[in-house]
Amino acid sequence: MTEPRARAARHKGQLNFPADLRALLYGFGDNREPLPETIKVLDEIVTDYIIETCHAAAQSASYSRRQKIKVDDFKFALRKDPSKLGRVQELLRMEKVLKGARKAFDADDDKVAGAAMKA
């Protein structure tokens, strides 16, 4: 595998999250339009973090002799940071709750639509 930092150099100058970072900075008290250099530096930091986390998850998958990365590999990569791991677990729980709610809502819609057609 390639070193994460060496791989990130390929995408230098390309901004991946400018709108999100502007909103984040504004939410934490910065100007509505932060300096472009600030956005660029933060974007590089975020992109490097994502790439490094993905590499750690891929390494975990390769130790398990798997080609594909699973959610558990990301959990393993984040195991040393309890706040990030807790947030990931919370988001996964919420995803399950939302899926169940959507299924229940769709099932209710089918029942209502069927009753309306009969009437």
Side-chain angles (χ1 to χ4, degrees), residues 21-90:
L21 290 174
R22 274 191 197 91
L24 185 72
L25 285 169
Y26 183 66
F28 279 97
D30 200 357
N31 292 332
R32 191 172 287 277
E33 284 299 320
L35 293 173
E37 294 84 9
T38 305
I39 298 294
K40 187 175 180 181
V41 168
L42 275 177
D43 193 86
E44 285 180 20
I45 291 170
V46 169
T47 303
D48 283 348
Y49 176 77
I50 291 171
I51 289 172
E52 289 172 9
T53 304
C54 290
H55 276 278
Q59 193 171 26
S60 172
S62 71
Y63 287 151
S64 301
R65 298 180 189 245
R66 281 186 275 109
Q67 297 266 330
K68 294 184 179 179
I69 300 173
K70 294 184 176 182
V71 174
D72 290 337
D73 297 322
F74 283 100
K75 287 181 182 177
F76 186 79
L78 295 172
R79 74 191 183 281
K80 294 179 183 174
D81 191 343
S83 62
K84 289 181 186 135
L85 181 60
R87 180 68 175 147
V88 166
Q89 291 171 337
E90 179 186 346

